[in-house]
Amino acid sequence: MNTQTLTGIGAAAPAIAMLGMLACLIGGGYLIATRRDRKKGVLLLVMSVVLLGNVLVWTL
């Protein structure tokens, strides 16, 4: 099996996913804190956890 390091878009994907995770985390927290739409806020927080899990799987 070839254990080559990530190149091109593969190298940028974890960083892009982490930026998306941060945006979902902030957006979900904002929706919950301002009591605008709790259900969507919780879904955004769940999505941020899933994105974090994906990044951990990609990098480990």
Side-chain angles (χ1 to χ4, degrees):
M1 177 179 257
N2 189 0
T3 57
Q4 198 175 35
T5 58
L6 296 174
T7 59
I9 192 69
I16 294 168
M18 289 303 292
L19 289 173
M21 188 270 307
L22 183 62
C24 290
L25 192 64
I26 292 170
Y30 175 77
L31 285 177
I32 292 172
T34 58
R35 300 177 190 237
R36 289 189 178 202
D37 195 350
R38 183 173 185 222
K39 184 177 179 181
K40 287 183 183 178
V42 170
L43 288 173
L44 280 171
L45 294 179
V46 170
M47 188 168 89
S48 68
V49 171
V50 170
L51 282 172
L52 178 63
N54 283 338
V55 170
L56 289 175
V57 167
W58 290 337
T59 57
L60 295 180

